[in-house]
Amino acid sequence: MTNDDSRLSRLGTAPLGTDGPEVGVQGLGCMGMSFAYGPTDADEARATLECALELGVTLYDTADAYGGGDNERFLSPFFKAHRDEVVVATKFALSMPSGTTGPRVIRNDPPYIRQAVEASLKNLDIDVIDLYYMHRRDVNIPIEETVGAMADLVREGKVKQLGLSEVTGSELRAAQAVHPIAAVQSEWSLFSRDIEANVVPTARELGVTLVPYSPLGRGFLTGSFTNADQELTEDDFRRTQPRFTGENATANAALLAPVRTVAEARGASLGQIALAWVQQQAVVHDLPVVPIPGTRKRSRVEENTKATTIKLTDEELASLDLIAAKVAGDRYADMRFASGAPGGGE
């Protein structure tokens, strides 16, 4: 991609790893444009992609698991039209067993990786993937073996940079010993801060960029809903997540009070304050941080990118830092799909 685009300078930039490109300091999570969050307006989603690029967003995130490749195929025309301006990130590892409708399984074995990358290249209709992530960790496959297979893809010109998602600090260190890792994607928000104990310090030491997903707590931190069971459609993924249903949802909604206080004082939205907190972790922890809030609306992209200009005071940070310890409920109903799962390290 080109690095002298004036749009980038308007948003600000961050490096993607130690030898990768500069990207907009805020990226875009594209999953919800065609998957997981209920009905979507495809035309508005396409307009949102164009709006994001115009505002300086250059890192676009998808995965082969989002609709069985449908999300990659949806994004393909946009990527092709702006190939030299965008960084395309996709992922492998969540496999649907052939001939079944059961839950996905995690696969990190080299034959599967090769199969997955070829499918993603075809879905995206591009010659090379800019950033290729291991979506989840299969603890039965040595991570050195998995990253070795991914490194082969770099040598073959199918992939430019490697990333890992939902790994521990020790797994990141083991992977880095095999091949440079450009980015680690983990959930990081006012509600989810467990990566600060080990992953963040390791990434800082190794020169790895942190790419926080769900920095808005899947919309909960924006105040757009307070109980998934009562307010979201049947096909919305968030209805399966413990934090957003029942008594947990009621307790967690009350935790937004300090976010609301800061937002009102700043004349900002709750989402902007939540995002500003994540963006500011780059300074707090001294490493590149490029969150990828997901949206399918132009108005939200405009709102989200404005959060990059908000610099919270020490007092504001202190009031917001108290939230995470009080959150009720796990991040997932099945925590095997999160870092630190049994057998996964610290």
Side-chain angles (χ1 to χ4, degrees):
M1 63 173 287
T2 55
N3 288 327
D4 58 352
D5 194 323
S6 62
R7 293 176 296 206
L8 271 175
S9 62
R10 290 205 299 270
L11 184 62
T13 67
L16 200 57
T18 56
D19 59 355
E22 292 282 321
V23 296
V25 76
Q26 186 180 112
L28 182 65
C30 300
M31 179 179 77
M33 290 185 169
S34 66
F35 178 72
Y37 290 123
T40 186
D41 181 335
D43 290 338
E44 176 64 16
R46 293 186 187 97
T48 299
L49 292 166
E50 297 286 350
C51 177
L53 182 59
E54 183 61 32
L55 291 170
V57 174
T58 55
L59 177 64
Y60 293 80
D61 186 88
T62 182
D64 61 0
Y66 302 159
D70 285 347
N71 196 250
E72 291 177 324
R73 287 186 286 270
F74 175 82
L75 296 167
S76 174
F78 171 74
F79 291 155
K80 290 181 67 179
H82 301 285
R83 191 65 190 95
D84 293 335
E85 302 171 86
V86 301
V87 171
V88 177
T90 193
K91 317 177 196 72
F92 73 89
L94 296 180
S95 171
M96 182 70 76
S98 178
T100 75
T101 57
R104 291 187 177 92
V105 296
I106 301 174
R107 290 190 60 181
N108 289 176
D109 55 287
Y112 179 76
I113 295 171
R114 187 160 295 279
Q115 171 189 331
V117 75
E118 295 296 345
S120 285
L121 286 167
K122 182 178 179 180
N123 290 337
L124 294 163
D125 196 16
I126 57 178
D127 295 326
V128 59
I129 295 166
D130 299 314
L131 177 59
Y132 199 42
Y133 286 103
M134 180 190 76
H135 203 162
R136 290 295 187 271
R137 166 96 166 95
D138 178 356
V139 298
N140 298 308
I141 304 290
I143 197 165
E144 294 85 354
E145 182 177 340
T146 298
V147 176
M150 295 170 71
D152 287 341
L153 303 179
V154 176
R155 286 187 284 270
E156 295 168 15
K158 299 179 185 295
V159 170
K160 290 183 180 179
Q161 289 186 289
L162 302 184
L164 304 172
S165 180
E166 286 284 350
V167 293
T168 64
S170 59
E171 289 167 345
L172 172 57
R173 193 177 300 280
Q176 180 81 3
V178 176
H179 188 278
I181 302 299
V184 165
Q185 187 175 133
S186 294
E187 187 167 358
W188 199 6
S189 74
L190 286 171
F191 270 20
S192 301
R193 299 182 56 186
D194 51 297
I195 67 167
E196 294 174 25
N198 293 294
V199 179
V200 171
T202 304
R204 180 178 62 243
E205 175 190 339
L206 300 177
V208 177
T209 299
L210 247 296
V211 179
Y213 75 83
S214 297
L216 293 172
R218 296 181 173 83
F220 196 85
L221 287 166
T222 70
S224 61
F225 73 99
T226 57
N227 189 301
D229 282 338
Q230 299 173 7
E231 301 171 55
L232 304 181
T233 58
E234 291 285 345
D235 56 351
D236 196 303
F237 163 72
R238 291 169 288 185
R239 289 170 63 99
T240 70
Q241 295 188 294
R243 289 182 173 177
F244 308 141
T245 58
E247 294 180 357
N248 287 345
T250 301
N252 292 335
L255 298 179
L256 298 182
V259 186
R260 191 169 285 108
T261 297
V262 175
E264 290 174 353
R266 290 274 189 160
S269 69
L270 272 69
Q272 286 175 324
I273 298 305
L275 268 178
W277 181 90
V278 176
Q279 300 276 179
Q280 206 154 329
Q281 299 311 300
V283 176
V284 173
H285 294 279
D286 189 26
L287 83 168
V289 176
V290 183
I292 48 170
T295 187
R296 48 200 178 187
K297 295 181 180 179
R298 283 168 286 182
S299 60
R300 291 298 189 189
V301 167
E302 292 167 354
E303 177 183 331
N304 291 346
T305 53
K306 288 177 182 177
T308 63
T309 66
I310 299 174
K311 306 304 178 188
L312 300 170
T313 66
D314 290 344
E315 291 77 12
E316 289 170 332
L317 286 171
S319 70
L320 299 172
D321 284 347
L322 299 174
I323 294 173
K326 302 175 184 177
V327 174
D330 287 335
R331 294 194 288 126
Y332 292 97
D334 185 348
M335 286 297 287
R336 290 178 300 172
F337 289 88
S339 59
E346 71 266 22

